Amino acid sequence: MTRLTNLIEMSLNGWNKYFGGSLFRWLFTIGLILLVVVVLRSEKREEKKRASFLLSVALMGLVVIFCPVSAWVIKKMVGEKVYWRTMWILPVVPVTVWLGVWLISSGRKLWMKGVTGLLVVAAIVVCGKSVLNENYFSKNENPYKLESHVIEVADLVQEHAQSQGVSDIKLLSPYSLSTYIRIYDAGIGQYYGRNTTRREKRHKYLFREVNATEEHDYKKLARRARKKGVNYIALHVQGDGPAGLAAYDFVLVGETPDYRLYFDARWE
C-alpha cells in the first residue's frame, strides 16, 4: 500500500510541475471531458472517430508522462532531457487545440464563430504566462550574446598576435573560455575542442591543468603546452600565482578582471 501511495504522490507531483502555475490544466481537463462526451454521444461518425483517436493519444500520453514506471523506462532509453523536451507537448497541446476548434465550429453563424474565436484566444492568453520579463530575458552586454570576459581575452590575443606578427595562433584556455571564443573569433586556433574529455585522451592532462582552480604546476604546464605547439595560455586569476608562467618564458600579455593571458617568448 505504501508503494502505491508513493507512486500516486509522484504522479501528482509530476502533474503539478508539468503545469506549474498555469491554468491550462483546466482547459485540458475540459477538453478531455468534452472528448469523452463526443465519443459517447456524438451521432456524427467522423467526429466520433477523430475524438476517439485524440482521446486515445491523450490518455496514452498521460500514462507515459505521469506514470513513474513508464517514465523511468523511457528516460533510460532516450535520456531525461530529451524525454521532457519532446514528450510534454503530446497530451495537452492537441486536446487544447481541438477544444478551441470544436467550440468555434459549433457556432451556427459567422459572427458567432468570430466571437467564440475571440473568447478562445482570450482564454489562452489568460491561462498562459508571459515570458517577456526579466526572469527570462536580460539585456545583452554585446551583439554576440557572449559574456564580456570572452571578448576581452579574444581581443587581447588578436591585438598581441597582430603586433608581433603571429599568424598561427594556438590558444590553451579554460573550458569557460574555449567553448565561446570560437563563436566570437574563429580565427583563434585552440588546443582542444569541446569534446576533448570524452574522445581525446592525449589532451586530458593539459585540459585538467588549465582548468584547475588551485595553483598550477607551471613547469609541467609550460613544457607540455610548448611541446604541443601552444603559443598563448589563458589562466583564471583565481588559480594563477604571482610568478606563474613568467618563470618559464611565458610573458604576461594582458589581464582582465577574470583571466591572465600569456605568450610563449620562445615562439618562432
Side-chain angles (χ1 to χ4, degrees):
M1 188 66 180
T2 304
R3 288 185 178 181
L4 180 60
T5 304
N6 290 337
L7 286 174
I8 294 174
E9 288 179 355
M10 288 176 64
S11 297
L12 291 175
N13 186 43
W15 174 269
N16 290 327
K17 286 183 177 179
Y18 180 89
F19 287 102
S22 170
L23 297 176
F24 270 99
R25 70 179 71 195
W26 301 116
L27 290 180
F28 178 59
T29 303
I30 294 170
L32 283 179
I33 294 172
L34 189 56
L35 277 172
V36 173
V37 172
V38 171
V39 170
L40 296 177
R41 303 293 300 273
S42 179
E43 297 179 356
K44 299 177 181 178
R45 184 177 179 181
E46 284 300 318
E47 184 181 51
K48 191 171 184 176
K49 185 178 179 180
R50 288 194 295 267
S52 299
F53 174 76
L54 185 55
L55 182 61
S56 301
V57 172
L59 293 177
M60 188 181 300
L62 289 175
V63 170
V64 168
I65 292 177
F66 298 110
C67 176
V69 178
S70 61
W72 180 83
V73 172
I74 294 177
K75 284 180 186 179
K76 288 294 183 181
M77 294 173 61
V78 302
E80 185 171 352
K81 292 183 178 179
V82 176
Y83 172 75
W84 288 113
R85 188 168 62 237
T86 59
M87 301 294 286
W88 68 271
I89 65 171
L90 286 180
V92 172
V93 174
V95 173
T96 306
V97 170
W98 176 86
L99 174 63
V101 172
W102 189 89
L103 291 173
I104 294 171
S105 301
S106 299
R108 295 183 179 180
K109 296 182 179 182
L110 184 60
W111 68 268
M112 294 176 65
K113 295 179 186 292
V115 172
T116 307
L118 291 175
L119 292 175
V120 168
V121 171
I124 292 174
V125 171
V126 171
C127 291
K129 182 179 180 181
S130 174
V131 297
L132 300 176
N133 56 62
E134 59 184 9
N135 294 326
Y136 301 96
F137 293 92
S138 58
K139 188 176 181 180
N140 293 330
E141 296 180 6
N142 51 73
Y144 302 95
K145 300 181 181 179
L146 298 172
E147 294 188 31
S148 58
H149 64 258
V150 174
I151 295 176
E152 290 168 355
V153 172
D155 286 344
L156 278 176
V157 172
Q158 285 290 17
E159 288 171 7
H160 182 269
Q162 290 174 11
S163 66
Q164 299 297 317
V166 178
S167 58
D168 186 14
I169 300 172
K170 198 168 188 179
L171 171 67
L172 174 65
S173 63
Y175 198 65
S176 55
L177 278 176
S178 64
T179 305
Y180 303 104
I181 281 181
R182 69 182 72 253
I183 299 174
Y184 175 66
D185 190 343
I188 298 178
Q190 300 191 76
Y191 173 66
Y192 60 82
R194 61 190 307 169
N195 294 323
T196 187
T197 54
R198 291 186 295 175
R199 298 180 182 176
E200 303 178 55
K201 293 182 179 179
R202 67 184 184 275
H203 296 329
K204 282 191 174 181
Y205 171 78
L206 284 177
F207 178 85
R208 288 195 299 267
E209 189 63 37
V210 80
N211 283 282
T213 54
E214 299 178 356
E215 190 165 333
H216 306 276
D217 184 343
Y218 294 106
K219 183 178 181 180
K220 189 178 291 187
L221 174 61
R223 178 170 57 84
R224 292 202 179 190
R226 190 171 280 129
K227 186 178 179 180
K228 295 296 184 179
V230 171
N231 49 12
Y232 287 94
I233 298 178
L235 296 176
H236 200 286
V237 295
Q238 183 179 352
D240 190 21
L245 287 169
Y248 304 97
D249 294 331
F250 272 86
V251 296
L252 181 66
V253 171
E255 186 174 343
T256 73
D258 300 300
Y259 297 92
R260 293 192 183 105
L261 180 67
Y262 296 90
F263 175 70
D264 184 5
R266 301 181 192 176
W267 178 261
E268 295 180 356

